[in-house]
Structure formats: structure tokens, C-alpha cells
Amino acid sequence: MTTPFPFTAVVGQDDLRLALLLNAVSPAVGGVLVRGEKGTAKSTAVRALSALMPTLDVVSGCRFSCDPGSPDPGCPDGPHEPGAFDTRAARMVELPVGASEDRLVGALDIERALSEGVKAFEPGLLADAHRGILYVDEVNLLHDHLVDLLLDAAAMGASYVEREGVSVRHAARFLLVGTMNPEEGELRPQLLDRFGLTVEVAASREPDQRVEVVRRRLAYDDDPAGFAARWAEEEAAVRARIVAARELLPSVRLGDGALRQIAATCAAFEVDGMRADIVMARTATALAAWAGRTEVLAEDVRQAALLALPHRRRRNPFDAPGLDEDKLDETLEEFGGSDDDDPDPDPGPDGPGGGGGGGGQPEPDDAPQGDGDTAARPEAGEDGQPQPSGAGEQSAARASEPFRTKVLSVPGIGEGAAGRRSRARTEHGRTTGARRPRGALTKLHLAATVQAAAPHQRARGRSGPGLVVRRDDLRQATREGREGNLVLFVVDASGSMAARQRMSAVKGAVLSLLLDAYQRRDKVGLVTFRGTAADVALPPTSSVDAAAARLETLPTGGRTPLAAGLLRAHDVLRVERLRDPARRPLVVLVTDGRATGGPEPVALAGRAARLFAADGVASVVVDCESGPVRLGLAGQLAGELGGMAVTLDELRADSIAGLVKDVQRRAA
């Protein structure tokens, strides 16, 4: 077995360590979501926590880890009689991104259920994680229906498996930890809210701290067991502190003053619902227990707010999570707790969050940690000088207010990843028919199964009321739902689009389409063209936020290499088709249709457009031409693409009721 990296040897990341430890003290806090760039010890810290969890007593032979002191009365392996039990370490179970629903919640043997009436149940990962840790790396890439099942089980403390009227329930209480890189896509706000706490992590910009990280990692890689042994004393101290905090937790008093501060804080930051208040109360109580106190103080409420509220403030997909600490301090002061509360709301480095339970390890001073991408963002046009990418470049225009757009979908029926845009054959949706299962049966079509088995009952010697069912009789339900697509934006940023009011409207339209893509769980990409060439501003990604950021800083100017933009987009689709062949593309070309530069630019653009038509790629041209004299070039280009042209005004939801049908008719 691989020796995990010691939890107390993790350098810095105080908020991350504190959030994990608070959940270890009180799993009722609701888990933690760790957001951060790659290479910031997210997975290392989570895996290290498992070694600190106290050992468990479990009923011998129980596949669901029942506590011998209070076994689950509804356990599928029960009822359990008092008797033998085993002691083992708490498990850390990892949920792969590509896991099936049956792998997560478990599966029933449908054949035995129909023929024998027996609930033969094979436990899933939720059962394995009971009374332990369930870790989901890249939780933002997990299918939405799996995230729903996961969070429902975490909230209810139980998992339910139902197949055609046959149901099994078992306890599923675990510490839920998810990690994600926001660059790869965001979780929906309603799913963010289901995680109790969230922390943002970033690599330190302090050289001394980075040196210490590298030194410890190299030492661990050279001798994992020896390195872990050097930190054994600190690990034992933190493990003992977790046990002591768990024992103290029922005695912690959450006074009316602290409750008033919690309620006032949640109201001041306008969080939706009451879950935030409850999570803050549980977190503040766990903080007091972790500090060895039986009274919740103002400093506990403040730290709980910093961990429980930032992700609940996210109202718009393009909003960055965060909390105004000055406003937080003002609210806590206005609704001050009891006279015994510490008047200083900041506990400092020696308070509950300072050491993060580090067990005495050296803690270099944290330096301000900026966004590593900030320096890389172009600040085009700040000095008024033309850039190499095109003559006459202008600074980036701000996008106008986004609006609700009509649904643009890909014709036909696909088989891509689950989403909300185009029709597709999926595991979830309305039942449209039945087929023989390919591999394991996941969704039984009961009527088709009975129909297949019925003619053979006499030959199979049926004598009782039960139906004699063989595996060949089982039928898988075929279902139709919605899929997510690759929406590739191809944006004209040339001089003909450079009028600030006009470009602002164009960016507002693209931002509106990006918002629609976020809600429909699409991947997005961004190709821009101006000057003499086209650039892939953003390769296909699930991070709509990244696309919005690139759009915000997009400058304009120069000639209009329309053909280059189309050819670059065609190349992006070709590469993406190899990576993800099931995901169908939708090209959204934003241009006025003009083409300049080189010999016969319009004819060359037409030939490039016909490549998309030959490949059957669905496309929409957003016509940005304005003024009293219009050439209609965007409409001609849409004809070459085999798609549909719409104006900026027609893109609004209340203006293009028949757009989807027109796109489908032209693509047919």
C-alpha cells in the first residue's frame, strides 16, 4: 500500500487544511469544495486527511460498515445481532469522473428480482464510503445526474436504489470532498450551494515557501516511509486533537448572540435560502470544538462566514466567488454577540484558522497570492500604439448587458455527453423504445422484458406464479434526452467591426450566447480573426468563464481575413472531433460578412465556408452589419455554410421564434 503524504507536512494552504479538519470533526458541516489551479496540493491534502481519521468499529461481515453500537435497522445485510466486530481505518473512496450510476449507488440483480423476488444487491461506492471519506477529483466534470445523486445521499445520510418498483436503502454518511480547477468549467450554482464549505487555493508567490514545498516533495518521493516517519509525532497530535474535538462537540454552546450574528451575516450578503445559516452554525460550533472551547465566539462566526458564504454569493455564472471582509466585519460589529466575545474579529495566525491543525510544522509567512493569469492577459491599446496583430488596433470595448437568447440546436439525434441543448440518446430522459442490453443492464424496460419472456413459459416448465426469466429476455430501455454540444464562436474583430458602440453590442450578444452555453452544459471555444491572421483565443473547454474573460479583453482593428478565421475554426473542429467524436459542434460566426486582404478574399471565404457544409456542421451567422446601406454579405455566407443568418436584434429570445426550425430545415 502506498504511504500517503503526511497532512501536517503540507506547506501553507491554511484554509484548505482547516476546512478539511472541521469536516473531520463534524461531518454534519456538509463537506468541502476545493477550487484552485492545477498543482496546488488539492488532491495531496485530501488523500493525506484519511490517515488522520480515527479508527472505526464495524459489524463483522457487513458490507455497509454498520456501527456495532447502533447498527442500521434497514441495512441490507441486517438485521445485525450483538456480537463480533472488527476495527479498521476509515476508508477514503475515490469516485472516478467516468463512473456509471450503478457504480456509484450500487445495482440490483433484476433477473433474480423478477424471477425469485429476491433483492440481490451489489453495493456501490456510496456504501464503501459510509463512515469514511468520499473524494471526487474534478467534480465539475462529473455528469450532473451523478452529482445530484451524490449530494442527495450526502444531505440525507442514506442512498436509495430503485429499479422498476424494487428498492433498496442503506446508510451513507460520509465526509464529501470535491476538488476542481475552475479553468475546466464551473459547477451549477444550485450544486455549489450543496457543499458546506469552499476554499480557494493558489500556489504561493513567495520564493521561500515554494522552496520548502519542493524540498518536502523531493524528500517524500525519495523515501515515502521515512518521510512519513519524521512527521509521525505531528500526525498523532492532530489525530488526537480531532478525537478530542469530536468528544467536545456535543457540549459546545451556540448562544443567541452568535446565532444573531450568523443570521445577520447571511441576510447582509443576500444568500438564497436557509442552508447557509445552518452550515455557518455547524461550522462555528466545529471551530469552537477544534479550539477546545465550549462557547462559540465572534471569531468563530467570522471564520465560518469566510468558509461557508463565498460560493453562495455567486449569482451570475461569470461572477467570481468572494466575500467583502470589511462588510463582514461591520455586520459582526453591528450585531455583536455576548459580552464575552473577543472584540477582535480576526483571530490572527494563532487562532482557529492560523495553524490549520498543522501539528507544529514550520509555517512560512504567506505572501500575497495574485492570479497567475493576470499578467498574461493582453492590455491592448492602453498606450494607443498599434500592435503587431493588425494596423489601427483599438482598445477593448466593454460588452453591453447580456440578454436571453433563443435556443440554437444541432439537427438530428446525437449520442454526446448529457446536457440541455440538442436531442440525443441518453441514459436519462423519456423512454422511446427497447433493445437488447450491450453489457450490464442499467435501465430495464419491464414491458418489453415480459413480452420477450412470455412465449417461453411453457417450454421453461413454469408451474408457479413467478415469471421464468432468462438473461436473454432482458431488455434495455432506450431513452431520449438532451446533450451538450461544442459551441465554437468565430468572431470578426477587424476594423469594420471596430465602432465602439457596435462592438459593445457584438460582445453583449456573444456574452449572452456564452451564458446560454453555460446553462446548457456545453463546451465552448473562441476563434477571432483580424489583421492578417486568425487566432484560437480559447481552445474548446468547459470553462465558459474563461471564454467570457477572453472576450472582455478582445481588441479590434485591421483588415478582415474571413477565410483565415473559417479555416482556423475548421481545423479546431477537426482536432476536437478526434478527441471527443460523440460531441457534435455548432459554429456561431459573428461577422458583417465583409472580407478583405489578399487576392479574391470573398471567393476564398466562400470556399472555406463550403468545407463546413460538406462536413454537415450546423452553423448560424450572426449578421452584425448596420447602417442604411447593407450589402447582405452575411446572408450569402450563411448560404455557403448551409446555415442560417440572423441579425443581432433577431437573436433575442422574443424575436426569432422559428430560428431553430429554420436551422434544421436548411441543414437537412
Side-chain angles (χ1 to χ4, degrees):
M1 183 176 178
T2 304
T3 303
F5 191 91
F7 187 85
T8 51
V10 174
V11 178
Q13 309 296 14
D14 293 345
D15 286 344
L16 168 59
R17 291 183 298 157
L18 178 62
L20 292 172
L21 289 168
L22 291 177
N23 274 274
V25 170
S26 176
V29 166
V32 58
L33 175 66
V34 187
R35 297 163 43 94
E37 58 197 21
K38 50 188 175 292
T40 49
K42 300 188 296 294
S43 300
T44 298
V46 175
R47 293 188 175 98
L49 179 67
S50 62
L52 296 179
M53 299 293 285
T55 57
L56 303 174
D57 292 336
V58 298
V59 174
S60 298
C62 178
R63 298 174 296 168
F64 301 88
S65 303
C66 280
D67 184 350
S70 56
D72 179 13
C75 176
D77 284 355
H80 298 299
E81 299 294 333
F85 64 89
D86 301 319
T87 301
R88 61 165 175 79
R91 293 173 178 158
M92 193 194 78
V93 177
E94 294 195 41
L95 174 62
V97 169
S100 65
E101 181 179 334
D102 285 348
R103 184 72 185 99
L104 175 64
V105 301
L108 289 170
D109 189 331
I110 300 297
E111 185 177 359
R112 292 188 63 191
L114 288 176
S115 59
E116 303 175 29
V118 176
K119 294 181 181 179
F121 182 66
E122 183 65 29
L125 295 176
L126 291 180
D128 294 342
H130 180 47
R131 303 176 69 201
I133 301 172
L134 182 60
Y135 172 45
V136 189
D137 193 13
E138 298 180 318
V139 65
N140 51 324
L141 303 183
L142 197 66
H143 284 188
D144 285 351
H145 74 281
L146 293 182
V147 177
D148 290 334
L149 290 170
L150 181 65
L151 295 177
D152 283 344
M156 296 186 296
S159 174
Y160 295 85
V161 184
E162 298 200 15
R163 294 289 188 274
E164 303 298 337
V166 181
S167 63
V168 171
R169 174 210 165 275
H170 65 82
R173 292 183 295 275
F174 46 81
L175 193 167
L176 175 63
V177 183
T179 57
M180 59 175 282
N181 181 353
E183 294 178 355
E184 297 172 342
E186 285 285 356
L187 279 173
R188 302 198 312 270
Q190 58 267 43
L191 297 182
L192 278 173
D193 183 59
R194 299 293 290 273
F195 281 94
L197 310 179
T198 187
V199 292
E200 296 276 343
V201 296
S204 172
R205 304 299 186 247
E206 171 59 44
D208 290 342
Q209 195 167 14
R210 295 175 75 98
V211 166
E212 186 62 24
V213 170
V214 175
R215 181 181 291 122
R216 294 186 187 183
R217 185 70 210 192
L218 293 178
Y220 170 77
D221 290 341
D222 289 342
D223 182 12
F227 183 81
R230 291 196 292 274
W231 290 89
E233 185 175 344
E234 287 83 354
E235 293 281 286
V238 175
R239 190 180 298 109
R241 188 174 175 184
I242 292 174
V243 173
R246 282 187 172 186
E247 294 174 350
L248 183 63
L249 188 65
S251 304
V252 176
R253 176 179 173 272
L254 182 64
D256 290 342
L259 270 175
R260 179 173 291 275
Q261 285 185 317
I262 289 170
T265 301
C266 292
F269 285 100
E270 300 179 345
V271 297
D272 295 330
M274 295 297 298
R275 184 175 285 119
D277 304 63
I278 296 170
V279 170
M280 272 191 66
R282 290 171 173 167
T283 304
T285 304
L287 279 162
W290 177 247
R293 289 185 269 100
T294 57
E295 185 81 16
V296 173
L297 305 182
E299 65 190 41
D300 301 322
V301 175
R302 185 181 193 278
Q303 184 64 56
L306 293 175
L307 293 172
L309 295 188
H311 59 304
R312 294 182 168 90
R313 290 275 297 150
R314 185 182 173 93
R315 298 302 184 91
N316 186 292
F318 308 128
D319 292 341
L323 210 63
D324 184 341
E325 295 194 32
D326 291 336
K327 181 178 179 179
L328 172 61
D329 291 337
E330 291 173 3
T331 303
L332 293 176
E333 184 176 354
E334 180 181 355
F335 295 88
S338 65
D339 296 337
D340 295 332
D341 286 352
D342 187 343
D344 180 9
D346 187 355
D350 296 327
Q361 84 249 38
E363 292 291 350
D365 293 335
D366 289 334
Q369 298 177 359
D371 183 354
D373 292 337
T374 302
R377 290 180 179 173
E379 296 293 340
E382 287 293 319
D383 57 2
Q385 298 298 319
Q387 300 299 319
S389 55
E393 180 175 294
Q394 300 185 15
S395 60
R398 295 184 63 85
S400 62
E401 282 297 315
F403 52 83
R404 189 169 64 89
T405 67
K406 267 292 185 179
V407 180
L408 308 178
S409 64
V410 178
I413 300 179
E415 294 183 345
R420 298 182 178 182
R421 183 172 295 279
S422 304
R423 294 173 59 197
R425 286 180 285 271
T426 62
E427 289 295 318
H428 298 269
R430 63 186 181 88
T431 301
T432 58
R435 60 171 173 81
R436 291 181 182 274
R438 305 185 191 105
L441 178 72
T442 55
K443 298 291 183 181
L444 177 73
H445 194 296
L446 183 58
T449 299
V450 172
Q451 187 176 11
H456 309 291
Q457 295 306 295
R458 182 174 298 177
R460 293 173 181 173
R462 173 184 171 183
S463 57
L467 189 67
V468 181
V469 179
R470 304 281 171 81
R471 181 157 296 275
D472 289 343
D473 302 326
L474 300 179
R475 295 294 182 267
Q476 174 84 23
T478 57
R479 303 192 174 198
E480 182 178 308
R482 294 279 169 176
E483 68 177 359
N485 298 111
L486 166 59
V487 182
L488 182 62
F489 295 92
V490 186
V491 180
D492 184 349
S494 64
S496 65
M497 303 279 288
R500 290 194 80 75
Q501 234 179 4
R502 184 178 177 194
M503 198 59 196
S504 177
V506 168
K507 285 189 175 183
V510 177
L511 192 64
S512 302
L513 290 166
L514 282 172
L515 180 59
D516 182 68
Y518 168 84
Q519 293 169 341
R520 300 188 186 282
R521 315 304 291 165
D522 294 316
K523 290 180 71 173
V524 297
L526 180 61
V527 173
T528 64
F529 57 94
R530 64 189 177 92
T532 60
D535 297 313
V536 180
L538 182 71
T541 175
S542 296
S543 178
V544 177
D545 292 32
R550 300 295 193 277
L551 180 70
E552 181 182 353
T553 58
L554 177 66
T556 58
R559 297 188 175 185
T560 312
L562 178 55
L566 291 171
L567 291 174
R568 180 57 65 91
H570 188 267
D571 189 55
V572 169
L573 294 183
R574 179 183 58 81
V575 174
E576 192 64 19
R577 193 176 294 116
L578 296 175
R579 293 175 176 169
D580 191 357
R583 190 180 291 268
R584 299 185 295 162
L586 173 65
V587 173
V588 179
L589 176 59
V590 185
T591 181
D592 57 10
R594 290 181 172 85
T596 60
E600 299 183 345
V602 175
L604 187 59
R607 288 197 294 271
R610 286 192 288 274
L611 293 175
F612 292 86
D615 290 343
V617 176
S619 59
V620 175
V621 178
V622 179
D623 184 359
C624 303
E625 192 174 28
S626 61
V629 179
R630 304 195 180 193
L631 303 178
L633 297 175
Q636 297 174 25
L637 184 61
E640 301 281 5
L641 286 164
M644 183 72 181
V646 294
T647 65
L648 290 174
D649 290 337
E650 292 171 339
L651 191 61
R652 294 180 179 272
D654 55 357
S655 300
I656 50 172
L659 174 61
V660 176
K661 293 181 181 178
D662 290 338
V663 171
Q664 293 174 340
R665 184 171 59 252
R666 292 203 175 200

